[in-house]
Amino acid sequence: MKFLETLKALPPSRQLILAAAVAGIIAAMTFLVQGATRDPMTLLYSGLEPAHAGDIIKQLEQSGTPYEIKGEAIFVPQGKRDAIRFNLAQQGLPRPSVQGYELLDQVNGFSVTSEMYNAAYWRAKEGELTRTILAIPGVTSARVHIGANLRSGFARSQPHQTASVTLTTARDMTSGQAEAIQYMVALAVAGLNAEDVAVIDPVKGILAGPKANRTEEPAVAAATQASLLEQKILSLLEPRVGMGNARVSATVDVSRQRQRTSAVTFDPNSRVIRNRTTNDTSGSSGGAGGGMTVASNLPQGNTGGGGTSTNKNSTETVSYEINETRTEVETLPGEIQKISIAVLLNEQALGIDPAAADAATRQQQMAADFEKLVASAAGLDMARGDTISVELMPFQAVPADDLVQAPGLFEQLMERYFWSGLQALLLGLVVIVLGVGVVRPMLVQKPKEALSPEGLGAGAGAAGAAGAVAAADVEADPFAYLKDYASERQEETAALLQQWLTEDQQPGQADPIAAAFDTRKVAVNE
């Protein structure tokens, strides 16, 4: 009640100032409490098309859910994210950016021709394949084009079926992944061969398909093999020399050409009769003699006769079988041609005293031992041309000034919460200043000497009254103060007036309160 009475006693101007100060304090406190208890924002969806993102934002506004938009991402309170996603999914949001077989639902009717249905079918097929490709980790965008088979029913030959896939990836795609996309598209379209599907990246070129550039693939494989080889050798050396006391560099040279070689070898010592054929022929011939010979002049008179001849011919044919060896060798890109390894060890970590007499011998022996160990672990083939080099040298110590100390827990907290804490501190100071410097002086009146019968005793009644009036004169309007004082403390005022009437005023001493009342009376009469 005293607070309300004090508030009513204030002038209207001060009441307005007090109300504004209290409203400011309440607003600042509300801001502080909201900032401290506010649920952090988390990602809801990102990378949506503008039309689909607009549908989600419209639904969030209708449900009264707070949200923030940062670029192409939509953020919502973390505690409500899962519930918001379920509600949006119940309403079919976000709608898929690529349409698939649902396109066929729009072509039902008597007005749909076969060409219209075929076009919708191939669009749906492309959309379904695009959805599947977008589900692959690392693929940010994709589009599938199928060379539709639109041959006429009267045509005898069927056109060649082709397809292409255009995609962009967040990281490099391997040849195996590109070939997997080829086979997926080929198996989804009847009559399409995997070799006729081209996988294209607008930045990296043709990843798979006709005229695919595979020159970089062996280089990537060589770099991977070299990295694995370095890690393997380091894991073998560090238990002996310690962490950070060994450096390994490996280089793997691989073949980047595809070569096929065919050879046929015959063994002449492995001759075997395969076939033997013998052909015998014989014949005889004879005739009458009409010519003059010696026999015709003999006395026996044998003047006429004939001659007979017999011919024999024998032919043998032998076929032999010889062992034949056919060899066909195909060299594929990526075959290792040469491995070079260089190992640098910290001499100080090996425990060798440079001042010792046999220091050089021990270093050479230790380097040879490490060389054998590394060559065996890496599987080097010196006949192929592999090389290895092991050197023992002291490592240079890193100056302490160049070392950067990792930030501690306090520094991490300061870096993460400094600005938010500073903002809360400034707002707290504003609230304290408003409360102590504005509100409190208005609610607490300035100390005045009490005008009560106890304060004004029998021996000092007039002096107490004079002191009270002197303190009241400090106010801008003493009459208003006397009026307020009389209205608030009516009993004390009546007792004070009664005491003034009963006491005798000393001669030569003016009563300031009476003078004040007289002055007020004169002012009223005028």
Side-chain angles (χ1 to χ4, degrees), residues 401-413:
D401 297 338
D402 296 341
L403 297 177
V404 179
Q405 187 177 3
L409 179 60
F410 178 75
E411 296 179 358
Q412 295 179 3
L413 293 177

Side-chain angles (χ1 to χ4, degrees), residues 61-195:
E61 290 177 352
Q62 291 179 357
S63 61
T65 304
Y67 65 91
E68 293 181 2
I69 300 177
K70 297 179 181 179
E72 298 180 354
I74 302 175
F75 292 83
V76 295
Q78 184 176 3
K80 301 180 180 179
R81 182 190 63 180
D82 297 336
I84 293 173
R85 285 184 176 178
F86 281 117
N87 293 334
L88 293 175
Q90 186 178 5
Q91 300 177 10
L93 297 175
R95 294 184 177 88
S97 58
V98 180
Q99 294 184 346
Y101 286 127
E102 58 267 19
L103 290 173
L104 301 179
D105 299 335
Q106 306 173 6
V107 295
N108 293 328
F110 294 100
S111 61
V112 178
T113 62
S114 60
E115 289 80 6
M116 296 173 60
Y117 183 83
N118 290 334
Y121 173 78
W122 289 114
R123 284 185 59 196
K125 179 73 73 173
E126 293 174 350
E128 292 294 331
L129 290 174
T130 302
R131 287 179 180 178
T132 306
I133 295 173
L134 288 175
I136 299 175
V139 178
T140 57
S141 63
R143 191 165 184 180
V144 179
H145 299 275
I146 300 176
N149 185 6
L150 301 178
R151 71 183 181 92
S152 174
F154 299 98
R156 294 182 178 180
S157 61
Q158 185 175 0
H160 196 58
Q161 195 88 342
T162 58
S164 64
V165 179
T166 305
L167 50 84
T168 57
T169 58
R171 55 180 181 268
D172 293 339
M173 177 174 287
T174 62
S175 59
Q177 293 176 329
E179 291 179 358
I181 294 176
Q182 275 187 300
Y183 280 95
M184 182 196 67
V185 176
L187 294 175
V189 180
L192 179 61
N193 298 324
E195 296 80 9

Side-chain angles (χ1 to χ4, degrees), residues 398-455:
V398 180
D401 297 338
D402 296 341
L403 297 177
V404 179
Q405 187 177 3
L409 179 60
F410 178 75
E411 296 179 358
Q412 295 179 3
L413 293 177
M414 288 293 295
E415 182 179 359
R416 183 176 300 178
Y417 302 106
F418 175 74
W419 291 110
S420 59
L422 181 61
Q423 182 181 9
L425 179 61
L426 292 177
L427 290 175
L429 290 177
V430 170
V431 172
I432 294 174
V433 169
L434 290 176
V436 176
V438 179
V439 178
R440 187 174 181 275
M442 290 184 177
L443 295 179
V444 179
Q445 294 183 354
K446 296 181 179 180
K448 303 177 183 62
E449 196 168 333
L451 300 178
S452 59
E454 293 80 1

Side-chain angles (χ1 to χ4, degrees), residues 137 315 375 475:
T315 305
E475 297 289 339

Side-chain angles (χ1 to χ4, degrees), residues 106 119 147-148 266 274 386 407 443:
Q106 306 173 6
F266 297 95
R274 179 181 179 182
D386 297 347
L443 295 179

